[in-house]
Amino acid sequence: MNAGTLLAALRRPLTTAALVAFGAVAAEAQVFHARDLNTEQYKRIDRAKTVVIIPLGVLEEHGPYLPADTDGYIAEHVAREVAAAVARKGYTALMFPFVPLGTDAMNEVPGRRPWPGSFVIRSQTFRAMLMDLVTNIAEAGFRKVFVSNGHGAPTNVRMLTQVCAYFNETYDDGYMAVLGGFLGPRVQSPEAAKLQQEAAGLLSPEAKREQGGHADIDETSIMLFLQPHLVDPGYLEAPENTWGMMDSESWLGYLGTPKYATAQIGALRLKARCETAVAQVCAVLDGAVPKPGPIPPTSDASIDAPHKAILAHDIELEKKQQEWIAKKGLK
Ligand SMILES: [Zn+2]
């Protein structure tokens, strides 16, 4: 298969016709969108055979070449692939609308806020919002919940871990995990490993050396594949940005060297993420992985100084809001 054909094949979305045709083969195998169902349809869903999928990202600056919702585009794509795989296994996938909320943007690490394109919420708000949502999902009778997450910031991941643990420890027959390569059951996907290896083979030694971790080769490549019209062509001239530059005026908001990105690398890396997520969900549905045990208290030493400063900023914000509410006598 040449590169063009590969890209076309990987980009092709799952059509409604394909789902309907598949539904005819496997009864009950379907993808429902939570926003579209009425009360009667909700009543009819077989809870025991349903998997809830929540695509999650955050509007966060991704430098001058990528859109603020880069994490969301990736999370939604993975969520759609997971939903299709769930349906293929004879389960119903109940897809929630994309939640564009998260905490801990990259520009906050050097304490630089506001930054164009970053719209975060406090970590405690983020955790409470998700705990409320999954409590409602559980009370509606659903027991398997997977979050397709695109935002790998440490505080965001810590809060997500806590929400999963809350769900898993509160509902004995519940299983909640985060997919998308950051968290979730440890499941090896040989296919994903092969795709990652293939993608790595396309990187020059310089590109390998200059991988940075935010809006870099990985995310730029995936967006060149997924939403090429949203990638500013300036990425082809993008200079390397390092962690050491984050305090300087010359820092552009990304880490790494996006100029090495290609759509072909993106296609392979995104497919690898999907394969991993699908393998994780299938392993849970097959009962092949144990439910995670209780989580320990957060160790203060596990949070670095920049992220402690972000938490302190969160507390300041909360104080300001609460003072205003109290002053106005609002309930
Ligand atoms: Zn990102």
Side-chain angles (χ1 to χ4, degrees), residues 233-247:
Y235 83 93
L236 286 164
E237 308 291 328
E240 183 184 17
N241 272 216
T242 61
W243 284 90
M245 292 168 66
M246 291 176 93
D247 287 322

Side-chain angles (χ1 to χ4, degrees), residues 223-240:
M223 290 305 278
L224 280 171
F225 164 67
L226 210 51
Q227 299 287 342
H229 63 290
L230 296 179
V231 182
D232 188 288
Y235 83 93
L236 286 164
E237 308 291 328
E240 183 184 17

Side-chain angles (χ1 to χ4, degrees), residues 58 60-62 66-72 74 150-152 182 213-216 219 273:
V58 64
E60 178 194 25
E61 67 86 8
H62 275 70
L66 295 182
D69 197 21
T70 292
D71 296 350
I74 297 171
H151 181 45
F182 298 120
H214 179 61
D216 66 348
E219 285 185 309
R273 284 199 198 197

Side-chain angles (χ1 to χ4, degrees), residues 285-301:
L285 296 181
D286 291 340
V289 283
K291 191 169 148 167
I295 57 167
T298 308
S299 141
D300 202 46

Side-chain angles (χ1 to χ4, degrees), residues 63-187:
Y65 318 114
L66 295 182
D69 197 21
T70 292
D71 296 350
Y73 279 110
I74 297 171
E76 280 191 296
H77 179 89
V78 174
R80 280 194 295 272
E81 292 293 315
V82 167
V86 163
R88 283 197 296 275
K89 280 187 82 69
Y91 284 76
T92 292
L94 182 60
M95 177 83 92
F96 267 61
F98 171 65
V99 180
L101 296 172
T103 195
D104 190 358
M106 189 53 86
N107 55 286
E108 292 186 278
V109 172
R112 300 179 67 175
R113 60 172 79 82
W115 191 284
S118 281
F119 302 95
V120 291
I121 58 175
R122 291 184 286 114
S123 54
Q124 291 181 351
T125 313
F126 177 63
R127 180 175 56 197
M129 171 196 77
L130 286 173
M131 282 172 105
D132 287 354
L133 178 62
V134 298
T135 299
N136 265 263
I137 288 171
E139 285 177 3
F142 300 102
R143 286 294 181 270
K144 289 187 181 65
V145 180
F146 294 102
V147 175
S148 176
N149 171 47
H151 181 45
T155 318
N156 206 70
V157 168
R158 191 169 73 251
M159 295 299 142
L160 278 174
T161 308
Q162 293 173 15
V163 175
C164 290
Y166 165 75
F167 188 91
N168 290 331
E169 292 173 30
T170 306
Y171 305 100
D172 288 342
D173 54 345
Y175 197 125
M176 179 176 177
V178 180
L179 306 169
F182 298 120
L183 285 169
R186 294 272 157 255
V187 176

